[in-house]
């Protein structure tokens, strides 16, 4: 059975993430959390949501600082079910440029490297 292509907003974000993560070692994509997760060294870094929203995995110690940024909020696994500290949802409008998207990739990759021992 043929797969349904991602919605345009999600596909644009997937393409941008592929470009920005191209130099990362051991990267793969997995469908999870209702989006397309980008894994580095077998750990989730980010996920592209169907509406162009970004799900970011960061150090829980930085959660309060980062969730206060424009367009950021506590990530939920369904209505009213928080994913916990370190999981942040970022609106599509807050990551409209590659510079804005990189502002979220940096802390996500920093956290990934801290838990995988990866180089940075």
């Amino acid at each position: 059975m043929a797969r349904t292509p991602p919605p345009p907003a999600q596909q644009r974000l997937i393409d941008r993430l592929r470009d920005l993560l191209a130099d990362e070692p051991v990267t793969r994509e997995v469908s999870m959390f209702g989006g397309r997760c980008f894994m580095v060294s077998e750990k989730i870094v980010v996920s592209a949501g169907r509406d162009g929203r970004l799900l970011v995995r960061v150090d829980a110690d930085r959660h309060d600082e980062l969730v206060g940024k424009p367009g950021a909020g506590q990530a939920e696994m369904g209505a009213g079910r928080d994913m916990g500290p370190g999981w942040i949802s970022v609106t599509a409008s807050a990551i409209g440029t590659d510079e804005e998207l990189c502002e979220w990739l940096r802390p996500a990759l920093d956290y990934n490297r801290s838990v995988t021992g990866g180089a940075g």
Side-chain angles (χ1 to χ4, degrees):
M1 178 179 276
R3 286 187 172 193
T4 304
Q10 184 182 34
Q11 187 61 59
R12 284 189 298 275
L13 182 54
I14 289 168
D15 292 341
R16 291 172 64 205
L17 289 167
R18 283 179 181 151
D19 287 345
L20 293 170
L21 293 170
D23 293 334
E24 290 298 318
V26 197
T27 303
R28 69 184 179 107
E29 297 176 31
V30 179
S31 292
M32 187 184 323
F33 298 129
R36 179 76 55 86
C37 288
F38 286 77
M39 316 275 285
V40 175
S41 301
E42 296 303 313
K43 300 286 184 189
I44 295 172
V45 175
V46 294
S47 180
R50 296 184 60 74
D51 61 356
R53 176 180 311 266
L54 186 70
L55 174 66
V56 186
R57 179 70 170 131
V58 298
D59 188 330
D61 290 341
R62 294 196 62 198
H63 182 88
D64 291 340
E65 164 202 350
L66 294 171
V67 81
K69 292 178 72 172
Q74 172 64 55
E76 294 183 345
M77 179 72 75
R81 292 180 39 214
D82 287 353
M83 291 181 71
W87 292 98
I88 297 174
S89 178
V90 183
T91 62
S93 62
I95 53 169
T97 67
D98 284 350
E99 182 178 322
E100 291 169 326
L101 183 54
C102 284
E103 287 295 316
W104 286 103
L105 282 176
R106 277 190 283 279
L109 287 168
D110 288 347
Y111 178 69
N112 178 274
R113 291 177 183 122
S114 76
V115 297
T116 65

